[in-house]
Amino acid sequence: MANKKVTSWVGLPEHDALVATIVAAREAKGLSQRQLSAILGEEETFIFRIEHGFRRLDLIEFMRLADALNISSRALFDDLLQRLGRD
């Protein structure tokens, strides 16, 4: 059995808070992972991979995600900072 590379960001408090922020925002809008992926014009598993640590977001993707959720990037980032106790 091949060893799978463990991503270095999984399990970090910042990553966990980012995922929790995205999940909370997505669920507050009543969207499934597939629905949000479709709104973004991405493949079905795009949000699943982000929420399960298989893929990281860059800043542009974070901003696009906020737009897709009809939330300002600042508000989404403020939620992330609050989860990290850095508000």
Side-chain angles (χ1 to χ4, degrees), residues 29-87:
K29 297 294 181 174
L31 296 171
S32 70
Q33 293 171 340
R34 285 184 180 177
Q35 289 170 319
L36 183 53
S37 294
I39 291 168
L40 289 164
E42 298 288 347
E43 42 184 79
E44 286 186 353
T45 60
F46 182 73
I47 296 299
F48 173 87
R49 290 180 299 150
I50 291 167
E51 290 183 3
H52 288 86
F54 298 112
R55 189 177 190 296
R56 285 175 43 168
L57 280 178
D58 65 25
L59 181 58
I60 302 302
E61 290 169 330
F62 181 86
M63 292 167 58
R64 286 185 61 230
L65 180 67
D67 287 344
L69 292 165
N70 293 316
I71 303 170
S72 74
S73 299
R74 178 177 297 269
L76 195 60
F77 191 69
D78 285 346
D79 186 33
L80 171 61
L81 291 176
Q82 188 174 40
R83 288 175 191 276
L84 289 167
R86 298 181 186 174
D87 51 345

